[in-house]
Amino acid sequence: MRPFLTLCCGAVCSAALALPLAPGAGAAPAAAPRPAHSGELPGSTQSLPVAALGAPAPHPDSRDATAPAPQSLGLPARTVRPFSLLGVVWDDAAAELRGRVQVRTRATGRGDWSGWQDVQVHNDDAPDLGAAERRDSAVRGSTAPLWVGDSDAVQLRITPASRHRARAALPGGLRLELVDPGRPPRGVRGAPADPPAPLGPEAGAASAANAGLAPPGATEIPALDQAASTAGRPAEDGAPPGRTYAGPRPRIVTRAGWGADEQLREKAFTYTRTVRAAFVHHSGSGNNYDCAEAPSLIRAMYRFHVKSNHWRDIGYNFLIDRCGTVYEGRAGGVAKPVMGAHTLGFNTDSTGIAVLGTFTDDEPPQPAVDAIARLTAWKLGLHSVDPRATIQMLSGGGNRFPKGTKVPLHVISGHRDGFTTDCPGVHLYEKLAVTRLAAAALQGR
């Protein structure tokens, strides 16, 4: 029997050896204990190097008997420390993983294995080529993160897309990242109802960025009606006398509310000049979560973006769960023009909104669609932007528009409008035309 050995450095661990398991065979071993809540925000990442699984036999109808068969990569079934979200990363952020990525996971303590699930293969949610987070760190390429729920074993297989270009199809440095979001800290849904702990310097700075909207350490920014949202703002050109077009502010769960470990991110906030557009995404993390799990999913995604992708913070400016709850994303203040890492080439002067889920085959929940309209009506209204308008934006470089290209875009666009991608999924993308009208109506236009 081979031993299970884990080599750790800080919160990121690399499992060098593990005990292969036959899926479904025997009783599940006891899961490794999670760290007890100590007032600090827990969580961890296991980083497993991907290895060759062996080359399949050549296809009998192949005319080129000398052509190399594609070699599948992955990991055999193995037990690991508990985790809830996974994704595959590689060294070169500009490289593409041309192939199919599939995983199976085992529910912690139960021994039940899932069926094979596809991991969405893309690296299009990313910081711009000249962004600050690309200058000081080795930004990685990655798949979308997939939420699998509390699991203690995993199996991975990666199949190249081309039989004849297997080596070119798979980038170097492939690793499977397994993320444990940890237990929710005090004040987050499902956490002990103890008095909030004193704010550290990083948490204090993140909270202070929302000064005037909520008190220090607040777990949410309350909703405001339209009159309160527009109070004290000057009238806009084209509006009736004394009138400002702006939507009512939606309730927003703060970073403290979903349990962000503010020590993970870069300390400094980054801003752009204004907000001229909103890009709508789906997270690609699957639809197998309930709303009570959304804070954990966001904490896991945040850790994946920072520790696995090497971004400065979570990429999206806002996130929305299936119940329509809006969450603060990247730190810096929900009312400010925070520079995100969501639409490669168009992060400048835009805000990125991700609906938690995958909507390639499934319809987005209506509460989430309604929340997009509420959020964009308010956020774009802060900058006197009509949600029905079209604008020209300058591409910072991507796979659809070369750097320097002037691109006409809807003020509320889908990710695919600025980048060649399936995001935000065809079913969510089809809702955007109605969303623009709904957001404009909420602004009083």
Side-chain angles (χ1 to χ4, degrees), residues 177-226:
E177 306 283 289
L178 306 176
V179 182
D180 174 15
R183 296 177 182 176
R186 291 176 298 218
V188 177
R189 187 186 311 180
D194 296 335
L199 296 179
E202 294 86 0
S207 182
N210 289 316
L213 305 182
T219 58
E220 66 176 60
I221 296 168
L224 290 180
D225 61 23
Q226 188 173 31

Side-chain angles (χ1 to χ4, degrees), residues 278-302:
F279 285 96
V280 176
H281 305 252
H282 64 181
S283 64
S285 50
N287 302 317
N288 189 27
Y289 75 95
D290 59 40
C291 294
E293 293 178 302
S296 293
L297 196 167
I298 296 170
R299 289 199 307 278
M301 188 178 300
Y302 168 44

Side-chain angles (χ1 to χ4, degrees), residues 295-316:
S296 293
L297 196 167
I298 296 170
R299 289 199 307 278
M301 188 178 300
Y302 168 44
R303 180 172 286 274
F304 183 76
H305 284 178
V306 175
K307 289 295 186 181
S308 300
N309 289 5
H310 296 172
W311 299 355
R312 64 184 302 116
D313 195 348
I314 193 169
Y316 307 113

